[in-house]
Amino acid sequence: MLRFTKKGSKKAGLPPGALVHMGKKKIEKTRITLMDYDEMHFQDREIKTLYESLSFKNQPTVTWVNVEGIHQARILEKLGECFGLHPLVVEDILNMEERPKMEDFGDYILVVLRIPYHYNSKSNEIETEQISLVLGPNFVVSFQERAGDVFHPIREQIRNGKGRIRKSGADYLAYALVDSIVDTYLKVLEQLGESMESMEEELVTNPVPQTLQIIHDLKREMILLSKSVRPFREIVGKLERGESPLIKEPTTIFLSDVHDHTIEVIDTVETFRDMLSSMLDIYLSSVSNKTNEVMKVLTIIATIFIPLALIPGIYGMNFKHMPELGWRWGYPMVWIVMIGIGVAMLMYFRKKKWL
Amino acid sequence: MLRFTKKGSKKAGLPPGALVHMGKKKIEKTRITLMDYDEMHFQDREIKTLYESLSFKNQPTVTWVNVEGIHQARILEKLGECFGLHPLVVEDILNMEERPKMEDFGDYILVVLRIPYHYNSKSNEIETEQISLVLGPNFVVSFQERAGDVFHPIREQIRNGKGRIRKSGADYLAYALVDSIVDTYLKVLEQLGESMESMEEELVTNPVPQTLQIIHDLKREMILLSKSVRPFREIVGKLERGESPLIKEPTTIFLSDVHDHTIEVIDTVETFRDMLSSMLDIYLSSVSNKTNEVMKVLTIIATIFIPLALIPGIYGMNFKHMPELGWRWGYPMVWIVMIGIGVAMLMYFRKKKWL
Amino acid sequence: MLRFTKKGSKKAGLPPGALVHMGKKKIEKTRITLMDYDEMHFQDREIKTLYESLSFKNQPTVTWVNVEGIHQARILEKLGECFGLHPLVVEDILNMEERPKMEDFGDYILVVLRIPYHYNSKSNEIETEQISLVLGPNFVVSFQERAGDVFHPIREQIRNGKGRIRKSGADYLAYALVDSIVDTYLKVLEQLGESMESMEEELVTNPVPQTLQIIHDLKREMILLSKSVRPFREIVGKLERGESPLIKEPTTIFLSDVHDHTIEVIDTVETFRDMLSSMLDIYLSSVSNKTNEVMKVLTIIATIFIPLALIPGIYGMNFKHMPELGWRWGYPMVWIVMIGIGVAMLMYFRKKKWL
Amino acid sequence: MLRFTKKGSKKAGLPPGALVHMGKKKIEKTRITLMDYDEMHFQDREIKTLYESLSFKNQPTVTWVNVEGIHQARILEKLGECFGLHPLVVEDILNMEERPKMEDFGDYILVVLRIPYHYNSKSNEIETEQISLVLGPNFVVSFQERAGDVFHPIREQIRNGKGRIRKSGADYLAYALVDSIVDTYLKVLEQLGESMESMEEELVTNPVPQTLQIIHDLKREMILLSKSVRPFREIVGKLERGESPLIKEPTTIFLSDVHDHTIEVIDTVETFRDMLSSMLDIYLSSVSNKTNEVMKVLTIIATIFIPLALIPGIYGMNFKHMPELGWRWGYPMVWIVMIGIGVAMLMYFRKKKWL
Amino acid sequence: MLRFTKKGSKKAGLPPGALVHMGKKKIEKTRITLMDYDEMHFQDREIKTLYESLSFKNQPTVTWVNVEGIHQARILEKLGECFGLHPLVVEDILNMEERPKMEDFGDYILVVLRIPYHYNSKSNEIETEQISLVLGPNFVVSFQERAGDVFHPIREQIRNGKGRIRKSGADYLAYALVDSIVDTYLKVLEQLGESMESMEEELVTNPVPQTLQIIHDLKREMILLSKSVRPFREIVGKLERGESPLIKEPTTIFLSDVHDHTIEVIDTVETFRDMLSSMLDIYLSSVSNKTNEVMKVLTIIATIFIPLALIPGIYGMNFKHMPELGWRWGYPMVWIVMIGIGVAMLMYFRKKKWL
């Protein structure tokens, strides 16, 4: 699986605006749900084609159309027509490898974000999917790359009528969706933080190659997360500045809160990168330390025993004329000399603080 | 204990503005104290509920309500109502993991900061807590995550009537609180600086794994401090620029002084990070140096004695026809040759500057 | 072959504006093709000199003159005259080592870009060539350093009349050319990403010198790519901002899309650089790990057997008076002692977690 | 001695504006000198209290009051009153650990700088002291932390009446003082540069631990210098921009020159930091090189002699049935085989380029 | 020779504006040449004093005075007077260690640049000299630190009357001079690029200490070049923006071209720095690789032969009761066992991929 690059290049050679879905997997079935609500009324249904949503679009109630699994270009082919979108907008929504961005087209705002949907704690890989939002005067259309409702809590809020969501317009709904996406990052970062903390304890005392593997995996993920999260700041900032009449003033203060969270996410990613770099340096130093320790053991043993071995070697020679061999106390003397040399060596090493 | 990430993610799924306290520990009892003063009068009392402070709020005297241990949401639930705060402000105050920030709501200013309250000199961990301030026309409400009065000196100043605090308004009080928070960082950095200086001396001469552990701990703390302190600059800068009518002109010059101190704190954190990075590099080089020294000892010993050992080995062979064995001076010759080789080797190593 | 610097210095000493082709190789023949089209009509022909294009230039149809292999200065010498270009523009087009840039001369816009035309997967070298575009009111002249039509897909689009290209003006054609150049980078980066991913798997488990070579090659290419791609952002940004009347409003939205892709390219290059730096650190740590492992094996063997060897050495001595030699169980005792020492050592190493 | 942090934290708990001297040492006696001059007249005297300078202050001549050793707060307590200074200004002057800064109070300008007064070439430590200047309409008051007249050359210029100083106003005097402070940094950097150049020569050829110590010391000083010098740029820039009527137009051009020198100082500090980082990397690589060399020697010796030693070992065995032992040419054969193996090994190592 | 710092500090203590030449060497004789030309006329002569140029200065023709070797302050002492220059300008011209800068004095523009005049390919040192230009309404005065006409090609252009130089004013001449200086950097960088490319090939396969030396030398030069080249961007940018009436509009487009080349130079220096950093990392990794290889050889040899040596040691013991010694096949058995152990070891190492 290729995670480092995006497949935008497949488009090379096609006329701009050609409708081709460019995501990785095309397994799930497309599922379209529609919610329509105001403070009093509320309905929730599954629809087959986007055409069914047209009747809701022009009513004063807030209409939220959510499309999960957008690979079936056939279903979506009339998307631009239904909602009056520019061909490039449709292309951006279908191209699953778009850089996060926000564009204001006057009548509607396109927001393209990425959300982490799965964290593989074994390979420490974080899979992300693209989420696109189109915010119109009283509707929001959201597109998810894969099935699985990441917006379930918001759906529940609408159903229960809790909080201010039922009392607010489409811009508040868009805020709630973006907010839930940003919160997902905080949750993922928390998990990664736990991995880092548990790893940190063994870093100096017991550096094992697995630690290195984890550090590498996490660093790679931070680099990738950093790439997909950094554009968020500008996106939410642009929304918050409220240059579009689609974003009403009371929502601005909530967007300012998301803005803070976005900066928090970016800060945390940068902090984690710094920490992992630091950990890697520490790891390298720890391994050097350990090599040094191993070297010392080797050197102590070799320095004591290699010279010692010379003595028995000498008295193992077969020269005819070796007076010591005939001495009465020659053999005990050899023992005494050898033990003496050994003890002297040990004392020397202790003095050098190698022991 | 998780220190790397904040628990903002717990909120995921709740409607924005839901009142849940998100700090780490919920042990201490909430304690609310109230000070009310002007140049002439002064009173100081403990109150049970925020309602008791309402009567003071509307008098021309400066009212300071300080809440320690804010986990009992029940006591604080009417907070927004009492002081007319936006629901998100109340949420920010209760959420103990907020990014430091300052927001001007016209009638009042919210300042969220972090303060280090404990430095564990064993694990070199710095625990921080969140402090929120709400500055109104003639009142300040301050919220501390934990019990323990970090503002004791300011309280004493008010009691003694020393300095200009009793003669000044609520904005000066807010300045004094922020100033004391920034000074706490300088104090903590001083302690860390001492740890670094004492460690520095052993860095080149005697690099031990404990040094590595300390460097790692301090680097981690610097990264975390950096994250919580960096937003201060913008916060104090915004206050100083005096865009809000709540901040009167004479206080601006004092805020400009805090601004300088804030930059000093940030500069020092950056300087310490640079120094720790440098120290780590030096540590690694020192360990390499030591490994090199150990290697030299091993090599000298092995290079002298391994070849030497060959000679007695040869004359320990049991060949029938080995003329040297019968020579009168064969044995002394072996000694002479061996000593000669050893001395030559030593001279070679001295020439190579290994000795 | 010199790839690190550009040969702009050859010009030193010549009067500015002197017509000298400064590219690397002068092998290919210059080939000039001309396309002239509007929504209804279309013609496509090869021409000999730029003069032949003059008649088309002044018609309302879009005229695209493409020059491949621009080394024959003779053919191009009237270039400035034909299209009314400033001498420095002609010099920039002919100088194959120009920094990517965009300059608005009022009547026409000069865009100089670089395109990767070949990726040598053995040496991991990416060869780039310079592409210059001159956009006038209803014509585009493009200059390629080498033969080989990188714009083939666009040519096909014009021939087929698909997409909006036939319905749009010269500015859209220029957009399409720039877009196809940016897409080429995405394609190359994808290939490099695959190289990196395949390499990544062996990084911790099996670091071989070839891995190091590849990391080095890729890092070098990233540095070089970074240098040639970074100016793109400003170039496309300037075009997008639409300050020139030559760029009509509907094209702006397409340029904004290219702008996003350009940022994507730059981001990816930076991300890859970060990853390669991280990989290099991991590589170094892995090699240290392996050295540590090798050292352990050596130390274990040496620590067990060097001391053991002392025992037979002692009983190989030829002293007359060595009581042990005459003992009945002396020889088996030696075996027992040696095996005992060996087992004790192994247990010690297991305890130290070296085994 | 603590050099890493400043003792600003001692103030924590005191009301802002409290007069406490916060420098490190309080040894020297305070000494106040006064110079009063214009183009024609000139006087120079030592005074006891700042009150004595008041009469000069209101004359049209330029008055320069220089205070050396500012620890005696008693003498300075009326400072604010004498010159009409804001309490915070007096606090900044007395607090010896202030961050360099410039503040315009309308009637006067406060400039706080640091100057290196001593370079310990043994520990490579650079001691700095704080210098504060107050520039009024026709007076300059300067405060030095320690005794010792760093402004001696300027005093001489005034005495001699050379240069334009006597013909110019108080703003030119302030310029001259700032200029001499900036020049001091250039002098110190030159000394450090010499240390670096002498060290550089031994870096690759003979890396010794002392080199490492010096690199570390210099890096630390660069980090500290960088911290105290960086604010200069903004300070001098603000002065140069001439927003204050206290700075007359002809002085601006001189300040622009100081501004260039300030950037030169900052550039040099950054350049030195880069160089020292580079040197440290080279040092580490050199040590690795040397370890590699040592390893090769060890490996060559061990690889040649350890296998060789096996041969005499074998023929030293006491088996009854070892036919070789009885052979006539057995012993010479052993020599030939051993020499042959040794030579083959050497040739192998030469081929591997280890010799 | 001191290359790291500039000797500006020698000035410390002198009144600003004192005329002292501060370059390194004072060997060459000062030589002043004068060219005076317009489209029709042209003269070229050597003059003794600057006074001789005064008569040309006020004519409408372009006058170019070039001073080589500016150490003879005596000759230049009337410089300020002749051309009406501010004392600080004269000081900047004479001070050979000035930071590159551009200053607009209304009547004339001062440009101070540095040019590399010699590349020592042995020590990889690039010597630079200072070049100052004063551009007036119809004259240019250029000052070179050393003799040797770096502007020879431009002189030739004027003589030949080729290009537009004779048809243009003094501003074009200034452009041509600056352009030739920037081109010199490109030429030097090209040489350095060649050194790097030739070095790169041996980096992974055969890292030798000399490589390290070269990397270090080049890194140092890049740091120094970076310092002297970085200000160029701003200088040329300021000239190009054409705020001075001395720079006429047609010259602006040429300056914009030099601006591009300047950015190219700065980019290349940065690119080279990145590459050298990368190379150093690779070098370090390569050396680690090699150490690892050496260690493996040592470990293989030691692990095979040290245990093997134990066997002959055992059968060399002199115990009376060693049944194996009397066995008929004892000696061949020893050989078989030893060879068996050796082969088993080799297979083990092959399995571990050490062979």
Side-chain angles (χ1 to χ4, degrees), chain D residues 94-221:
Chain D
L94 289 176
N95 178 359
M96 298 283 80
E97 313 291 357
E98 203 59 30
R99 190 173 180 264
K101 64 175 178 184
M102 176 266 186
E103 253 167 311
D104 186 347
F105 289 83
D107 290 344
Y108 56 93
I109 293 173
L110 169 71
V111 180
V112 180
L113 297 172
R114 297 197 76 73
I115 192 173
Y117 69 87
H118 181 242
Y119 169 53
N120 183 338
S121 66
K122 213 160 209 168
S123 64
N124 286 306
E125 280 180 15
I126 300 161
E127 304 284 329
T128 59
E129 66 167 312
Q130 176 173 312
I131 304 243
S132 316
L133 305 177
V134 175
L135 166 64
N138 56 356
F139 66 90
V140 171
V141 195
S142 56
F143 301 87
Q144 295 173 241
E145 188 176 345
R146 300 162 48 103
D149 195 352
V150 294
F151 296 137
H152 183 73
I154 292 164
R155 210 175 290 277
E156 284 304 303
Q157 277 174 45
I158 297 173
R159 284 197 191 107
N160 304 339
K162 274 191 197 157
R164 50 170 73 209
I165 198 159
R166 286 275 286 276
K167 296 171 211 138
S168 312
D171 56 340
Y172 188 89
L173 175 61
Y175 146 73
L177 297 175
V178 171
D179 187 50
S180 76
I181 289 169
V182 172
D183 276 348
T184 318
Y185 278 98
L186 284 171
K187 201 150 59 184
V188 164
L189 286 172
E190 200 176 317
Q191 286 183 315
L192 294 174
E194 286 176 40
S195 299
M196 280 166 64
E197 285 196 57
S198 69
M199 185 179 64
E200 199 199 7
E201 286 161 28
E202 298 212 320
L203 202 60
V204 174
T205 54
N206 187 27
V208 287
Q210 289 86 314
T211 315
L212 186 60
Q213 182 72 59
I214 299 172
I215 293 177
H216 174 62
D217 289 346
L218 291 174
K219 262 194 116 173
R220 185 197 54 222
E221 293 311 308

Side-chain angles (χ1 to χ4, degrees), chain B residues 124-160:
Chain B
N124 287 305
E125 281 179 15
I126 301 162
E127 304 284 330
T128 59
E129 66 166 312
Q130 176 173 312
I131 304 241
S132 316
L133 304 177
V134 175
L135 166 65
N138 56 357
F139 67 90
V140 171
V141 195
S142 56
F143 301 87
Q144 295 174 239
E145 187 175 344
R146 299 163 48 105
D149 196 352
V150 292
F151 295 137
H152 183 73
I154 291 165
R155 211 175 289 276
E156 283 305 302
Q157 277 175 45
I158 297 174
R159 283 196 192 108
N160 304 338

Side-chain angles (χ1 to χ4, degrees), chain D residues 153-154 157 162-164 172 175-176 179-180 183-184 186-187 189-194 196-197 200-201 203-205 233 240 250 253-254 256-257 260-261 263-264 267-268 270-272 274-275 277-279 281-282 284-286 288-289 291-293 295-296 298-299 302-304 306-310 313-324 345 348-349 352-354, chain E residues 1-17 86-88 91-92 95 97-101 103 105 206-210 212-213 215-217 219-220 223-224 227 230-231 273 280-281 283-284 287-288 290-295 297-298 301-302 305-306 308-313 315-319 324-332 334-335 338:
Chain D
I154 292 164
Q157 277 174 45
K162 274 191 197 157
R164 50 170 73 209
Y172 188 89
Y175 146 73
D179 187 50
S180 76
D183 276 348
T184 318
L186 284 171
K187 201 150 59 184
L189 286 172
E190 200 176 317
Q191 286 183 315
L192 294 174
E194 286 176 40
M196 280 166 64
E197 285 196 57
E200 199 199 7
E201 286 161 28
L203 202 60
V204 174
T205 54
R233 181 177 202 158
E240 181 195 355
I253 205 161
F254 289 95
S256 143
D257 204 58
D260 285 347
H261 292 168
I263 295 175
E264 171 74 25
D267 272 12
T268 306
E270 291 310 311
T271 304
F272 280 13
D274 285 351
M275 279 186 172
S277 290
S278 166
M279 281 180 181
D281 290 344
I282 299 291
L284 190 53
S285 297
S286 288
S288 289
N289 263 339
T291 301
N292 188 262
E293 287 305 304
M295 285 297 312
K296 275 185 191 166
L298 176 59
T299 304
T303 308
I304 292 176
I306 291 179
L308 271 194
L310 204 64
I314 285 166
Y315 295 106
M317 292 192 295
N318 297 321
F319 283 102
K320 292 243 163 67
H321 305 282
M322 290 177 67
E324 296 97 323
M345 288 284 197
Y348 173 74
F349 287 126
K352 267 199 135 177
K353 296 213 173 142
W354 287 15
Chain E
M1 183 194 43
L2 291 172
R3 305 176 55 242
F4 289 1
T5 44
K6 303 188 170 170
K7 299 297 151 305
S9 62
K10 276 178 195 157
K11 210 189 63 180
L14 286 179
H86 191 281
L88 275 176
E91 191 190 344
D92 283 347
N95 177 359
E97 313 292 357
E98 204 57 32
R99 188 172 181 267
K101 64 176 178 183
E103 253 168 309
F105 289 82
N206 187 28
V208 288
Q210 289 85 313
L212 186 60
Q213 183 72 58
I215 292 177
H216 174 62
D217 289 346
K219 262 196 116 171
R220 186 197 54 221
I223 293 168
L224 291 172
K227 195 184 157 198
R230 244 178 300 143
R273 281 184 73 172
L280 189 56
D281 290 344
Y283 181 85
L284 190 52
V287 171
S288 289
K290 276 183 71 181
T291 301
N292 188 261
E293 287 305 304
V294 173
M295 284 298 310
V297 170
L298 177 58
I301 294 292
F305 287 97
I306 291 179
L308 272 194
L310 203 64
I311 295 169
Y315 295 106
M317 292 192 295
N318 298 320
F319 284 101
E324 296 96 323
L325 295 184
W327 292 355
R328 188 66 189 94
W329 301 107
Y331 177 55
V334 164
W335 273 110
M338 291 202 324

Side-chain angles (χ1 to χ4, degrees), chain A residues 232-251:
Chain A
F232 277 38
R233 181 176 202 160
E234 200 196 336
I235 294 168
V236 181
K238 270 205 236 167
L239 289 173
E240 181 196 355
R241 254 168 278 136
E243 285 153 4
S244 165
L246 291 170
I247 311 277
K248 275 125 210 159
E249 208 275 324
T251 304

Side-chain angles (χ1 to χ4, degrees), chain E residues 65-282:
Chain E
V65 179
N66 184 38
V67 183
E68 297 171 43
I70 64 164
H71 52 277
Q72 286 177 298
R74 206 166 23 85
I75 289 184
L76 302 174
E77 61 197 352
K78 298 294 179 199
L79 171 61
E81 207 178 281
C82 284
F83 293 91
L85 305 180
H86 191 281
L88 275 176
V89 169
V90 179
E91 191 190 344
D92 283 347
I93 290 168
L94 288 176
N95 177 359
M96 299 283 80
E97 313 292 357
E98 204 57 32
R99 188 172 181 267
K101 64 176 178 183
M102 176 265 187
E103 253 168 309
D104 186 347
F105 289 82
D107 291 343
Y108 55 94
I109 293 173
L110 169 71
V111 180
V112 180
L113 297 172
R114 296 197 76 74
I115 191 172
Y117 69 86
H118 181 240
Y119 169 53
N120 183 338
S121 65
K122 213 159 208 170
S123 64
N124 287 305
E125 281 180 14
I126 300 161
E127 304 284 329
T128 59
E129 67 166 311
Q130 177 174 312
I131 304 243
S132 316
L133 306 177
V134 175
L135 166 65
N138 56 357
F139 67 91
V140 171
V141 195
S142 56
F143 302 87
Q144 295 173 240
E145 187 176 346
R146 300 162 48 102
D149 197 351
V150 293
F151 296 136
H152 183 73
I154 292 164
R155 211 176 288 278
E156 284 303 304
Q157 278 174 44
I158 297 172
R159 284 196 190 106
N160 304 339
K162 273 192 196 155
R164 51 170 72 210
I165 199 159
R166 285 277 284 277
K167 296 169 211 137
S168 312
D171 56 341
Y172 189 89
L173 175 60
Y175 146 73
L177 297 175
V178 172
D179 187 50
S180 77
I181 290 169
V182 172
D183 276 348
T184 319
Y185 279 97
L186 284 171
K187 200 151 61 185
V188 164
L189 286 172
E190 200 176 316
Q191 285 182 316
L192 293 175
E194 285 176 41
S195 298
M196 281 166 63
E197 286 196 57
S198 69
M199 185 180 63
E200 198 199 8
E201 285 161 29
E202 297 213 322
L203 203 60
V204 173
T205 54
N206 187 28
V208 288
Q210 289 85 313
T211 315
L212 186 60
Q213 183 72 58
I214 300 172
I215 292 177
H216 174 62
D217 289 346
L218 290 175
K219 262 196 116 171
R220 186 197 54 221
E221 293 311 308
M222 285 308 147
I223 293 168
L224 291 172
L225 268 187
S226 179
K227 195 184 157 198
S228 62
V229 159
R230 244 178 300 143
F232 278 37
R233 182 178 202 158
E234 200 196 337
I235 294 167
V236 181
K238 273 205 236 165
L239 289 172
E240 181 196 355
R241 254 169 276 134
E243 285 153 3
S244 165
L246 292 170
I247 312 278
K248 273 125 211 159
E249 208 275 322
T251 304
T252 312
I253 205 161
F254 289 96
L255 283 168
S256 142
D257 204 57
V258 189
H259 196 230
D260 284 347
H261 291 169
T262 307
I263 294 174
E264 171 75 25
V265 169
I266 295 168
D267 272 12
T268 306
V269 170
E270 291 310 311
T271 304
F272 280 13
R273 281 184 73 172
D274 286 350
M275 279 187 172
L276 287 164
S277 291
S278 166
M279 281 180 180
L280 189 56
D281 290 344
I282 299 289

Side-chain angles (χ1 to χ4, degrees), chain C residues 227-247:
Chain C
K227 195 183 157 200
S228 62
V229 159
R230 243 178 301 143
F232 278 37
R233 181 177 202 157
E234 201 197 335
I235 294 168
V236 181
K238 271 206 237 166
L239 289 172
E240 181 196 354
R241 253 168 278 134
E243 285 152 4
S244 165
L246 292 169
I247 311 278

